[in-house]
C-alpha cells in the first residue's frame, strides 16, 4: 500500500474511474496539459487522451452547462471548478439545472455529474478562493455534498461520487491536499455517500465535524484525553444528506455534543446538525449542543486568516464548556 | 445608426464594415413570390405541403391554447402566433436524431419532434408527467431560465461529436436571451470545440416589454457570432423557405465537422409574452402589430403554395379540423392523468431516497392515504 497525500489519492480515484468507465470525462480550466492548478489531474490527459481530459474556455457557467449536456449524451462528467469561490458563476447550472434534472423530467433524465472543487481556508489564497460555501450547496435539494477529511476517504468517496447517478458536489479542502499522508490501497474501493465515520471513539463527548475541522477536532480530543476526558469525533464525510443515525447513536452514547465547522456560523451545516440532535435526542443530552464556527464576516483577507479560522484551541475551549456544564 | 469613423484607428470602420455585412436573407417575400431563386431550398411538393400543415396546425394549437388558458384549463402558456416560420421551418430542417434544447415558447418544435401533445398540456398545467420524456425522444423540457439551455447545447453538441453521431444540438432563445452571459459562453464553447450546434435567436422584437434596441448596441444579433469565431446568419423569420434554407445549411456544416452557427430570425409574436397578465398594448402600438401582420408567414406561404396549385381552402380546413380534434383528445388525455402528489415529487429527488426525504415521504404518504 502506498502512502499518499489527499491530492494523490484524488488523482488515483480519477484514474481508477477513467479506467473503469470510458464515459468518465474530466474537464475544466487548466486540467489538461497543466494537470490542474493543484495538480489533481496530473498525468490524466497523457494517459487517457485529449478526448477524455480537456481544457475548457475560462467560464464556469459554460463548464456547468457543458457537464449537463455531456451527461445528456450518456457521459459521466467530472468537471473541476478551479476554486469553489468561483461557484457563483455556475450556480444556475448547479442549483437551477442539474439538481433538478431528475425531478423536472419526472425521472426520465439525469445529471450524473461530479463537480470537484478546492475550498477552505488557511493557505493564504487571494480573496474569493477559500470561502466555505458548502452550506449553499447543502441547501439545494437534489444535490449530494461530499467533503473528505483524509486521503483514504478522498479516494473511496470520489469513486462513489463518480458512480452516483445524481449530481455530487465534491469539495476538497486545500489545506488537506498535502498536509499529511496515509496508507491508501492501490485497488479500487468505495465509501458509501451519506455515511459518517467515527474517526475516534469516546464516551464523554461527541464532536461532529467535517473537512479540515476533523483534524483540528482530533487534536483537541487528544489534548482532552490527557485531561481524562474520552472524546468521540464523528466525521460527517457527506453533509447532504446527513447521516442522522451515526450522529444520534453517538450522542445517545456520550450525552454531550458539539459541532465544528470552518464556515461562518449563520445558517450553516452545524445549525442543521444541532437541530437534528435536539429533534431526536434531547432527552439524552446532559448539556446544550454548542458550535465552533468562523465568525459571521466575509472570509477575511489572508493576514487575518489564522485568527478567523476555527482551530483546535477554540474547539478545546468549547468542549470544556460542554463537558463541565 | 452607424458609429462615426475615428481619425487614427480603423476600429470603427471595421465595426461598420462587419455590421453592414449582415443582410437579412429572404427567399419568399410578403406576396409569396420567390425573390432569391438561387437560395430556394427546392423542397418537394409533399415537403412544402407538410410544412404548411404544421404551420396551420400550430396556429390553431396557439388559438386553442389561449382559449383553454382563459377557461382555466391550461396553466403556463407563451403564445406562438407569428413565429411559425421561425419555429417550424427551422425544425423542419432537423432530423429525429438532433437534440432540441428549447426556451419556454418553443413547445411547437418539441411537439413536431415527437413530444406527445397531452404531455405538453400536462407541462403547461405543472404536472411532472408532462416532462417524462419517452425513450429516444431527443428534447429537453422547455427551459425557464433565459439562456441556461445555450451552455447546455454546447455540451450536448460536444457529446455528439465525441460519440461521432451525425446529429446536431439545436437551441432556441429570444432577443432578450442574447444578452445573457450564457449566450456568449455557449457560442464560445461550441465554437472552441467546433461542436455541432445551432443557436437560433428568435428576435421577436420584445423581451416581454423591452424593445430590441435596448438589448444591445449591435446592429444585429447575428453579428455576435463574429466574436465567437463562428458563422452568423440574419434571416427573415417570417419566411419559411429562408428559415429552412439557412437552418439546413447550418446543419450540414455542423454534421460535416465545421462547427456551430448562430441564426437570428427576425420575427414577431402577435400575442402577449405569456398568458399570465402581460398586456402588449403597454409597449407596442397597433400600427407596429399590423405592419408585422402583413409579413405573416402563413399568409405568404399559403399564397406561394396556392400559386403552385398544391394548397386550397379544403386542404386548410382539413388540417384545422384535424388539429381541433387532436387537441380535444389530448386535453381529455391530460385530464385523465393522476392527481400529482407530494410523495411523487419526493420520490423524484434522488435515485435512492435518502434518510431525510424518506421521513418526509412517510409523512406525506400517510396524509395522502387519508
Amino acid at each position: 500500500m502506498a502512502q499518499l497525500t489527499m491530492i494523490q489519492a484524488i488523482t488515483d480515484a480519477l484514474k481508477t474511474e477513467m479506467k473503469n468507465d470510458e464515459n468518465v470525462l474530466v474537464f475544466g480550466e487548466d486540467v489538461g496539459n497543466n494537470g490542474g492548478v493543484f495538480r489533481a489531474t496530473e498525468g490524466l490527459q497523457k494517459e487517457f487522451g485529449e478526448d477524455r481530459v480537456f481544457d475548457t474556455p475560462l467560464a464556469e457557467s459554460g463548464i456547468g452547462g457543458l457537464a449537463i449536456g455531456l451527461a445528456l449524451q450518456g457521459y459521466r462528467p467530472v468537471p473541476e471548478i478551479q476554486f469553489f469561490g468561483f461557484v457563483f458563476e455556475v450556480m444556475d447550472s448547479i442549483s437551477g439545472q442539474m439538481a433538478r434534472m431528475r425531478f423536472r423530467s419526472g425521472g426520465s433524465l439525469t445529471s450524473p455529474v461530479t463537480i470537484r472543487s478546492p475550498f477552505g481556508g488557511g493557505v493564504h489564497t487571494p480573496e474569493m478562493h477559500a470561502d466555505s460555501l458548502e452550506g449553499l450547496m447543502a441547501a439545494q435539494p437534489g444535490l449530494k455534498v461530499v467533503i473528505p477529511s483524509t486521503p483514504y476517504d478522498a479516494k473511496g468517496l470520489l469513486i462513489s461520487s463518480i458512480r452516483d447517478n445524481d449530481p455530487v458536489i465534491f469539495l476538497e479542502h486545500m489545506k488537506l491536499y498535502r498536509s499529511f499522508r496515509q496508507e491508501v490501497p492501490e485497488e479500487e474501493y468505495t465509501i458509501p455517500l451519506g455515511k459518517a465515520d467515527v474517526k475516534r471513539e469516546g464516551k464523554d463527548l461527541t464532536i461532529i465535524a467535517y473537512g479540515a475541522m476533523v483534524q483540528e477536532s482530533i487534536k483537541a480530543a487528544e489534548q482532552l484525553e490527557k485531561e481524562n476526558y474520552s472524546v468521540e469525533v464523528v466525521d460527517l464525510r457527506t453533509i447532504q444528506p446527513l447521516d442522522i443515525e451515526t450522529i444520534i447513536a453517538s450522542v445517545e452514547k456520550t450525552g454531550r455534543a458539539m459541532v465544528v465547522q470552518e464556515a461562518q456560523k449563520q445558517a450553516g451545516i452545524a445549525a442543521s446538525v444541532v437541530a437534528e440532535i435536539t429533534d431526536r435526542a434531547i432527552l439524552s443530552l446532559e448539556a446544550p449542543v454548542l458550535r465552533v464556527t468562523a465568525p459571521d464576516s466575509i472570509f477575511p483577507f489572508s493576514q487575518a486568516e489564522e485568527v478567523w479560522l476555527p482551530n483546535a484551541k477554540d474547539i478545546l475551549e468549547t468542549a470544556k464548556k460542554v463537558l463541565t456544564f | 445608426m452607424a458609429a462615426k469613423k475615428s481619425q487614427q484607428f480603423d476600429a470603427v470602420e471595421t465595426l461598420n464594415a462587419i455590421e453592414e455585412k449582415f443582410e437579412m436573407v429572404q427567399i419568399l417575400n410578403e406576396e409569396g413570390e420567390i425573390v432569391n431563386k438561387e437560395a430556394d431550398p427546392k423542397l418537394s411538393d409533399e415537403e412544402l405541403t407538410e410544412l404548411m400543415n404544421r404551420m396551420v396546425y400550430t396556429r390553431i394549437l396557439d388559438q386553442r391554447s389561449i382559449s383553454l388558458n382563459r377557461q382555466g384549463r391550461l396553466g403556463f402558456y407563451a403564445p406562438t402566433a407569428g413565429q411559425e416560420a421561425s419555429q417550424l421551418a427551422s425544425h423542419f430542417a432537423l432530423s429525429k436524431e438532433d437534440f432540441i434544447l428549447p426556451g419556454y415558447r418553443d413547445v411547437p418544435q418539441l411537439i413536431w419532434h415527437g413530444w406527445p401533445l397531452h404531455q405538453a398540456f400536462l407541462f403547461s398545467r405543472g404536472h411532472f408527467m408532462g416532462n417524462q420524456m419517452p425513450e429516444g425522444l431527443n428534447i429537453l423540457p422547455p427551459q425557464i431560465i433565459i439562456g441556461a439551455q445555450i451552455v447546455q447545447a454546447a455540451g450536448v453538441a460536444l457529446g455528439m461529436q465525441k460519440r461521432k453521431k451525425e446529429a446536431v444540438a439545436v437551441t432556441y432563445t429570444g432577443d432578450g436571451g442574447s444578452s445573457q452571459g450564457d449566450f456568449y459562453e455557449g457560442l464560445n464553447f461550441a465554437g472552441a470545440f467546433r461542436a455541432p450546434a445551432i443557436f437560433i435567436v428568435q428576435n421577436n422584437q420584445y423581451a416581454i416589454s423591452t424593445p430590441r434596441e435596448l438589448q444591445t448596441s449591435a446592429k444585429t444579433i447575428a453579428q455576435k457570432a463574429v466574436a465567437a469565431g463562428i458563422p452568423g446568419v440574419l434571416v427573415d423569420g417570417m419566411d419559411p423557405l429562408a428559415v429552412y434554407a439557412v437552418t439546413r445549411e447550418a446543419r450540414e456544416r455542423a454534421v460535416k465537422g465545421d462547427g456551430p452557427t448562430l441564426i437570428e430570425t427576425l420575427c414577431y409574436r402577435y400575442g402577449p409574452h405569456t398568458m399570465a397578465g402581460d398586456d402588449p398594448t403597454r409597449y407596442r402600438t397597433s400600427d407596429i402589430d399590423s405592419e408585422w401582420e402583413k409579413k405573416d408567414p402563413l399568409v405568404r406561404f399559403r399564397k406561394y403554395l396556392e400559386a403552385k396549385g398544391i394548397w386550397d381552402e379544403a386542404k386548410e380546413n382539413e388540417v384545422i379540423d384535424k388539429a381541433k380534434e387532436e387537441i380535444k383528445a389530448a386535453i381529455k388525455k391530460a385530464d385523465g392523468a393522476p392527481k400529482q402528489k407530494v410523495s411523487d415529487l419526493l420520490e423524484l429527488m434522488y435515485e435512492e431516497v435518502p434518510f431525510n426525504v424518506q421521513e418526509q415521504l412517510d409523512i406525506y404518504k400517510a396524509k395522502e392515504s387519508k
Side-chain angles (χ1 to χ4, degrees), chain A residues 51 61-62 73 104 143 280, chain B residues 142 162 165 182 185 350 359:
Chain A
D51 195 48
S61 186
Q73 288 297 306
R104 71 188 293 259
L143 299 178
R280 295 164 199 274
Chain B
K162 289 185 184 299
K165 287 185 183 174
D182 275 354
E185 290 188 27
Y350 295 93
E359 277 189 344

Side-chain angles (χ1 to χ4, degrees), chain A residues 114-135:
Chain A
T114 300
I115 294 183
R116 292 182 38 253
S117 191
F119 84 114
V123 294
H124 300 288
T125 56
E127 55 178 330
M128 303 299 282
H129 283 64
D131 297 40
S132 290
L133 300 169
E134 66 274 13

Side-chain angles (χ1 to χ4, degrees), chain B residues 19 22 27 56 64 86 135 140 155 172 190 192 233 288 316 358:
Chain B
E19 291 201 317
F22 284 85
I27 295 172
V56 172
R64 291 295 301 140
S86 172
E135 187 74 31
L140 278 185
Y172 293 87
V233 191
I288 299 175
E316 182 139 347
Q358 186 60 53

Side-chain angles (χ1 to χ4, degrees), chain A residues 23 51 57 59 61-62 65-66 69-70 73-75 92 97 102 104-106 108 141-143 165-166 244 280, chain B residues 131-133 140 142-143 145 148 151-152 155-156 159-160 162-163 165 182 185 189 345 348-351 355 359:
Chain A
N23 289 317
D51 195 48
S61 186
L66 207 63
L70 286 164
Q73 288 297 306
Y75 287 102
D92 180 58
Q97 308 294 325
R102 179 186 294 282
R104 71 188 293 259
S105 69
S108 62
L143 299 178
N165 288 328
D166 288 300
I244 310 267
R280 295 164 199 274
Chain B
N131 290 348
Q132 267 175 340
M133 295 309 171
L140 278 185
Q143 178 59 253
I145 299 301
V151 282
Q152 295 167 19
V156 172
M160 287 171 158
K162 289 185 184 299
R163 297 267 185 230
K165 287 185 183 174
D182 275 354
E185 290 188 27
F189 270 57
L345 304 181
L348 288 170
M349 288 311 305
Y350 295 93
E351 184 174 43
F355 186 89
E359 277 189 344

Side-chain angles (χ1 to χ4, degrees), chain B residues 82-365:
Chain B
Q83 296 190 206
E84 289 87 352
S86 172
Q87 296 182 324
L88 301 171
S90 60
H91 178 260
F92 204 60
L94 307 182
S95 81
K96 287 279 173 209
E97 291 71 45
D98 297 338
F99 197 107
I100 303 177
L101 299 98
Y104 48 79
R105 204 182 305 283
D106 302 311
V107 169
Q109 301 96 301
L110 303 185
I111 289 169
W112 291 109
H113 214 58
W115 197 23
L117 192 50
H118 74 279
Q119 284 197 267
F121 290 149
L122 283 171
F123 156 77
S124 166
R125 288 174 175 181
H127 196 301
F128 76 93
M129 285 181 165
N131 290 348
Q132 267 175 340
M133 295 309 171
E135 187 74 31
L137 177 59
N138 295 315
I139 63 171
L140 278 185
Q143 178 59 253
I144 299 302
I145 299 301
I146 310 295
Q149 71 274 31
I150 304 174
V151 282
Q152 295 167 19
V156 172
L158 182 62
M160 287 171 158
Q161 181 192 67
K162 289 185 184 299
R163 297 267 185 230
K164 301 186 169 45
K165 287 185 183 174
E166 274 198 25
V168 298
V170 183
T171 187
Y172 293 87
T173 190
D175 37 317
S178 75
S179 295
Q180 287 280 10
D182 275 354
F183 172 77
Y184 178 71
E185 290 188 27
L187 260 63
N188 190 54
F189 270 57
F193 294 120
R194 290 182 83 77
I198 305 176
F199 302 96
I200 299 178
V201 175
Q202 300 185 75
N203 174 3
N204 66 12
Q205 315 303 321
Y206 296 89
I208 302 188
S209 70
T210 307
R212 153 66 185 86
E213 307 83 77
L214 295 184
Q215 293 297 339
T216 174
S217 165
K219 193 174 155 201
T220 69
I221 293 168
Q223 76 194 54
K224 293 190 177 234
V226 174
I230 67 171
V233 191
L234 176 65
V235 64
D236 181 352
M238 309 297 264
D239 170 359
L241 293 184
V243 172
Y244 173 82
V246 300
T247 312
R248 189 175 70 179
E249 196 176 279
R251 189 181 184 279
E252 279 165 8
R253 239 192 328 267
V255 294
K256 256 189 358 211
D258 290 339
T261 301
L262 170 64
I263 298 171
E264 175 186 3
T265 66
L266 281 177
C267 59
Y268 198 72
R269 74 169 141 79
Y270 299 148
H273 160 65
T274 69
M275 294 303 292
D278 176 43
D279 173 10
T281 64
R282 292 171 70 91
Y283 52 87
R284 302 190 309 214
T285 62
S286 55
D287 285 354
I288 299 175
D289 287 345
S290 49
E291 214 175 283
W292 279 94
E293 277 161 18
K294 282 185 218 149
K295 301 176 198 274
D296 189 83
L298 273 72
V299 170
R300 73 171 82 172
F301 209 42
R302 187 182 293 121
K303 281 183 185 163
Y304 175 59
L305 298 196
E306 280 174 355
K308 279 176 96 69
I310 57 171
W311 194 260
D312 56 27
E313 208 182 326
K315 276 211 167 103
E316 182 139 347
N317 285 333
E318 211 177 289
V319 181
I320 293 171
D321 290 345
K322 183 169 178 264
K324 284 182 176 167
E325 229 168 82
E326 288 183 4
I327 292 163
K328 211 170 150 189
I331 279 288
K332 207 174 156 198
K333 200 165 176 191
D335 289 345
K339 195 168 173 276
Q340 184 163 264
K341 301 193 296 280
V342 173
S343 59
D344 294 332
L345 304 181
L346 285 168
E347 277 170 349
L348 288 170
M349 288 311 305
Y350 295 93
E351 184 174 43
E352 283 168 46
V353 180
F355 186 89
N356 57 323
V357 177
Q358 186 60 53
E359 277 189 344
Q360 294 156 3
L361 197 51
D362 294 343
I363 293 167
Y364 279 90
K365 277 194 168 159

Side-chain angles (χ1 to χ4, degrees), chain A residues 2-304:
Chain A
Q3 290 275 330
L4 299 186
T5 60
M6 193 163 101
I7 194 96
Q8 289 168 330
I10 286 164
T11 313
D12 189 12
L14 289 170
K15 234 182 232 188
T16 304
E17 281 315 273
M18 291 206 75
K19 274 186 204 152
N20 277 337
D21 182 353
E22 59 180 21
N23 289 317
V24 173
L25 301 177
V26 169
F27 54 92
E29 295 155 7
D30 309 300
V31 303
N33 178 44
N34 195 43
V37 292
F38 287 98
R39 308 288 177 258
T41 55
E42 177 89 60
L44 294 184
Q45 191 179 60
K46 215 170 170 193
E47 187 170 347
F48 299 100
E50 286 175 30
D51 195 48
R52 295 185 61 200
V53 181
F54 53 94
D55 291 326
T56 64
L58 199 166
E60 286 77 17
S61 186
I63 291 169
L66 207 63
I68 294 165
L70 286 164
L72 289 168
Q73 288 297 306
Y75 287 102
R76 204 164 271 277
V78 188
E80 178 178 293
I81 297 299
Q82 197 161 61
F83 289 90
F84 206 58
F86 310 164
V87 72
F88 299 107
E89 294 287 338
V90 62
M91 277 301 279
D92 180 58
S93 279
I94 295 174
S95 294
Q97 308 294 325
M98 56 182 89
R100 56 191 84 201
M101 184 66 80
R102 179 186 294 282
F103 179 80
R104 71 188 293 259
S105 69
S108 62
L109 303 168
T110 57
S111 270
V113 177
T114 300
I115 294 183
R116 292 182 38 253
S117 191
F119 84 114
V123 294
H124 300 288
T125 56
E127 55 178 330
M128 303 299 282
H129 283 64
D131 297 40
S132 290
L133 300 169
E134 66 274 13
L136 278 181
M137 298 291 114
Q140 175 60 54
L143 299 178
K144 294 180 182 177
V145 186
V146 177
I147 303 180
S149 72
T150 68
Y152 178 87
D153 285 358
K155 179 173 174 181
L157 287 168
L158 183 51
I159 291 175
S160 295
S161 298
I162 294 170
R163 292 182 187 178
D164 199 277
N165 288 328
D166 288 300
V168 178
I169 309 299
F170 190 90
L171 297 176
E172 304 162 1
H173 199 288
M174 284 185 270
K175 204 172 178 183
L176 296 178
Y177 268 156
R178 293 182 171 84
S179 63
F180 66 99
R181 288 173 184 271
Q182 196 181 28
E183 288 203 343
V184 176
E186 273 162 46
E187 62 270 25
E188 63 175 73
Y189 60 92
T190 58
I191 294 172
L193 305 187
K195 287 275 170 265
D197 184 39
V198 177
K199 282 280 187 288
R200 188 181 195 280
E201 290 199 23
K203 299 192 302 282
D204 302 329
L205 166 68
T206 299
I207 303 180
I208 299 145
Y210 59 93
M213 289 300 114
V214 173
Q215 295 308 323
E216 295 301 307
S217 299
I218 290 171
K219 274 187 225 164
E222 281 162 359
Q223 183 58 39
L224 287 162
E225 177 100 54
K226 291 177 195 155
E227 301 173 34
N228 289 324
Y229 291 112
S230 162
V231 177
E232 182 144 309
V233 177
V234 175
D235 176 4
L236 290 174
R237 297 199 296 201
T238 301
I239 59 158
Q240 171 58 38
L242 287 171
D243 179 1
I244 310 267
E245 223 180 319
T246 302
I247 296 168
I248 299 304
S250 177
V251 173
E252 283 176 344
K253 181 174 78 176
T254 62
R256 291 169 199 269
M258 58 184 279
V259 193
V260 187
Q261 71 179 21
E262 186 177 309
Q264 294 90 335
K265 192 173 202 174
Q266 62 187 64
I269 303 304
S272 281
V273 173
V274 174
E276 293 293 349
I277 293 170
T278 56
D279 277 1
R280 295 164 199 274
I282 197 154
L283 295 178
S284 304
L285 292 174
E286 306 284 341
V289 184
L290 299 187
R291 282 173 285 170
V292 176
T293 70
D296 290 336
S297 79
I298 302 292
F299 193 94
F301 297 104
S302 61
Q303 278 200 16

